[in-house]
Amino acid sequence: EIGNYAPLVSVCLVHHNRGTLVLKTIEALLAQDYWPFEIVMVDDGSTDVESLKVLGEIQHFFNTSQAVPFRLIRTPNRYPGAARNTAAESARGKFLVFSDDDDIPKPNWISTLLNVAHFTHADVVTSMADAFTSPTMPYKQQRPDFRWLSIGPAADLGMFHNVFGSSQALVRKKSFFKIGGFSEEGESTYEDWEFFADTVLKGYRLEAVPEALSWYRQRNRGGKLTKKSDTDDRAVIASDDNLMYTTNAYTNRLRALRPYMRAIPEQLRNALLFGWGTAKLVESQKRSSSSRKNKRAKGMVAAE
């Protein structure tokens, strides 16, 4: 346990057009078992009328309740990397923790990440995450749709998959800026994967907690959340809401590969791209083969 060690932690919360969902994120933040922390919320150019209304309600709630120190920063739409950097620049805490507007941190999220950072002296601490698809809050004892497992500072495997951990990570503020923060390109994603790879390849210490400390709201390919019953909160997620499905997969992967490109001599970079592309092609072919086998097996079962 941390004991009397209780530094200020800044929750860097990024929001864009998800007014209904971000209320659930804030509810989860107010249920944290750690204190003190502040919330620095960056609205990344929201245009949705309902979301803008909710932002006003959130500001009013914190102004009147003073539940935790809270700041709302409004910016043009510059995408997650830039929004997270803006929150970090405004943060007053010694440690930063990052959350998106549809994540649901578990009550021990901050305290566990901080414990590990304190005792290992890590610059970055990540964890696993439990995925779910309901627009409501996860209920007690809910089983996840799947668990996103992480290994930690495995730079070799991290070239092909984000094995470093979920984006809901803790970072020492001074280390965040030394590492370089998040890259700020729009129209692409994997800025968290890129940041973790940079952390490891630049010699900073990354630790991964072998526990799922947050709920990650998963979407299907259509972009909508699963409605399990008529009593569910009818939060609707538009198809253009998820950058994973609306951006170029190849560009996204190259973004995560950039730290590796910077870490090797220029003469070897084409060889790295070739080897990486070949590995991804083999992986894709295996998935396609497995999918065909599953379809054939289902067909035989149906025929019987």
Side-chain angles (χ1 to χ4, degrees), residues 123-124 171 174-181 195 198-199 202 204:
D123 299 287
V124 177
V171 187
K174 64 179 182 180
S175 300
F176 178 81
F177 293 107
K178 288 179 180 178
I179 294 167
F195 176 77
D198 251 337
T199 298
K202 288 181 178 179
Y204 291 88

Side-chain angles (χ1 to χ4, degrees), residues 134-197:
S134 169
T136 61
M137 290 281 281
Y139 57 83
K140 193 175 182 180
Q141 307 302 325
Q142 177 168 335
R143 297 189 63 178
D145 296 340
F146 65 87
R147 176 164 290 177
W148 180 12
L149 303 178
S150 55
I151 297 174
D156 49 355
L157 296 177
M159 187 184 300
F160 304 101
H161 299 280
N162 180 8
V163 300
F164 302 113
S166 73
S167 62
Q168 300 86 9
L170 177 144
V171 187
R172 292 180 186 271
K173 185 177 179 180
K174 64 179 182 180
S175 300
F176 178 81
F177 293 107
K178 288 179 180 178
I179 294 167
F182 295 102
S183 59
E184 297 190 356
E185 288 90 337
E187 303 295 340
S188 67
T189 185
Y190 292 158
E191 68 284 337
D192 52 338
W193 184 355
E194 179 187 19
F195 176 77
F196 295 149

Side-chain angles (χ1 to χ4, degrees), residues 198-245:
D198 251 337
T199 298
V200 174
L201 293 173
K202 288 181 178 179
Y204 291 88
R205 183 165 183 172
L206 182 148
E207 294 286 345
V209 178
E211 179 183 349
L213 297 178
S214 61
W215 289 94
Y216 172 76
R217 206 181 294 273
Q218 182 79 357
R219 293 165 180 74
N220 59 31
R221 286 281 173 183
K224 293 186 178 180
L225 299 175
T226 301
K227 179 176 178 291
K228 295 185 178 179
S229 74
D230 290 336
T231 60
D232 273 359
D233 187 338
R234 297 302 303 275
V236 177
I237 304 302
S239 60
D240 63 352
D241 176 75
N242 195 333
L243 289 175
M244 292 286 289
Y245 303 143

